[in-house]
Amino acid sequence: MALYAVDKPLHLTSHDVVEEARRRLSTRRVGHTGTLDPLATGLLLLVTNESTKLVPFLSGEDKEYIAWVSFGATTPTLDAEGPISEEAPVRFDRKDLEAALPRFLEVREQVPPLYSAIKVGGKRAYEAAREGKPLALGPRPVRYLEVELLAFDPEPIPHPIAPSARGWRLAERRGRPVRLPRPLGAYPTAVIRLVVGPGTYVRAFARDLGEMLGTKAFLSGLVRTRVGRVGLERAVALSDLSPEKAIPELDVLPFPVVELSHTEARRVLEGMPLPIPAMGYVTLVDSKRRLLAIAEGDGFKLKIRRVFAREA
């Protein structure tokens, strides 16, 4: 089993990265745990071969982003793909912006962008939007866990970024360079750090923030800096991806680890419950810290949900 953290380049789709990973890792079984738009960069967590079975246990992880939100205009896709479809005056200042951001911590629903991969009646929303027949998308559950203003500039500025004890932030020097899409204009731009739950569209966040401040807004740049327990600092360039760059499964899985005896391991491989009083998902390993299975506890016993090893 093998997982890989890749720093997705600007303009490539997540599928483009998967195709290149298949070539570099010499396997057709490659997937990822969450799509990044072509105009976004940053962490794309890849799964290969047997590790593709981990996707259901990783796709619900929280994600951290640094977003560039430009005000005074919007686009059909709500990002820098363009063209500008509507403009509006900007009448707020930094204090207004700082006061608006904490309100997102109380937001529980979000209407997805019209250009999204959501299906309604078998039709992708972005396909319908391109045909000039946009779908009526209802609100969906979202979670905003952290929303923090890092900078407010007169135009999009590709500040370098760096990890810290409080998440990724702007770096004064020696930071990681950021590539932003081609600017659509000199629009006032906020740089915002976000930690969100699954299903949250940052493009929709930009739209909603603009509306909250009485103007239009779009996402002029985005870097994903963390997926669950894996940060962008562990990512490799796509051009450097190789089998030697794999990340251990136990570094990625978010569940408590339970080490089993040989007898218990044999029971797990046979799919038998274990009388261990745990609650929720746990990761089961053998005495060599090899991943055996993922189980779910009800407080009295562990029920095996997915087995990975073939022998104990």
Side-chain angles (χ1 to χ4, degrees):
M1 297 178 66
L3 301 95
Y4 300 86
V6 172
D7 187 357
K8 188 190 84 66
L10 188 66
H11 299 306
L12 290 189
T13 66
S14 297
H15 181 71
D16 292 335
V17 174
V18 166
E19 283 297 312
E20 180 65 11
R22 286 170 175 161
R23 187 180 71 82
R24 291 182 174 274
L25 301 174
S26 300
T27 178
R28 296 300 301 171
R29 293 185 65 189
V30 179
H32 59 73
T33 65
T35 300
L36 274 178
D37 291 336
L39 296 188
T41 64
L43 180 61
L44 189 66
L45 191 60
L46 301 182
V47 290
T48 65
N49 299 322
E50 287 297 298
S51 69
T52 56
K53 297 177 182 178
L54 294 174
V55 170
F57 304 102
L58 298 175
S59 56
E61 288 291 271
D62 297 338
K63 299 176 177 66
E64 179 189 61
Y65 298 91
I66 296 181
W68 279 252
V69 179
S70 293
F71 301 97
T74 191
T75 71
T77 56
L78 302 180
D79 64 11
E81 182 178 333
I84 296 295
S85 57
E86 188 177 355
E87 292 189 313
V90 176
R91 297 191 175 98
F92 65 88
D93 58 20
R94 184 178 180 123
K95 288 185 178 180
D96 297 324
L97 178 56
E98 289 176 332
L101 292 178
R103 293 161 60 184
F104 281 92
L105 300 177
E106 301 176 2
V107 171
R108 296 293 178 265
E109 290 185 325
Q110 177 193 75
V111 177
L114 293 178
Y115 283 80
S116 63
I118 292 172
K119 274 188 176 181
V120 177
K123 187 83 169 182
R124 296 283 187 188
Y126 67 81
E127 294 174 343
R130 287 171 182 167
E131 294 170 359
K133 302 175 182 178
L135 301 176
L137 300 178
R140 300 192 170 210
V142 294
R143 285 187 304 147
Y144 290 95
L145 303 172
E146 298 181 45
V147 186
E148 177 185 6
L149 181 64
L150 302 181
F152 190 34
D153 302 313
E155 61 184 0
I157 297 175
H159 298 280
I161 60 176
S164 76
R166 295 182 296 138
W168 279 73
R169 332 187 76 74
L170 305 189
E172 294 183 3
R173 55 185 177 179
R174 295 186 179 179
R176 193 183 190 101
V178 168
R179 283 195 64 198
L180 297 181
R182 176 183 58 84
L184 298 181
Y187 296 104
T189 300
V191 186
I192 300 169
R193 175 179 167 270
L194 295 166
V195 179
V196 300
T200 307
Y201 286 88
V202 185
R203 286 181 290 134
F205 163 77
R207 174 202 64 203
D208 296 344
L209 179 59
E211 291 178 355
M212 195 177 288
L213 292 166
T215 187
K216 298 293 182 180
F218 66 96
L219 190 66
S220 52
L222 184 68
V223 183
R224 185 154 68 193
T225 50
R226 181 175 59 81
V227 176
R229 298 174 63 188
V230 182
L232 181 57
E233 66 273 13
R234 299 194 67 174
V236 300
L238 183 58
S239 58
D240 293 333
L241 183 62
S242 67
E244 294 74 30
K245 306 292 187 179
I247 297 175
E249 304 97 325
L250 297 187
D251 288 2
V252 180
L253 286 166
F255 314 127
V257 176
V258 176
E259 184 176 312
L260 303 179
S261 67
H262 181 74
T263 300
E264 291 172 327
R266 291 299 306 172
R267 287 173 60 91
V268 165
L269 298 187
E270 294 169 2
M272 300 176 64
L274 295 175
I276 297 176
M279 286 293 294
Y281 284 115
V282 297
T283 301
L284 302 180
V285 301
D286 63 13
S287 58
K288 298 180 180 179
R289 304 289 289 180
R290 182 180 58 157
L291 176 63
L292 296 178
I294 292 176
E296 187 175 10
D298 59 7
F300 300 97
K301 63 181 182 303
L302 292 177
K303 187 173 183 180
I304 309 305
R305 295 303 186 194
R306 174 73 74 169
V307 175
F308 298 98
R310 290 186 171 86
E311 59 182 24

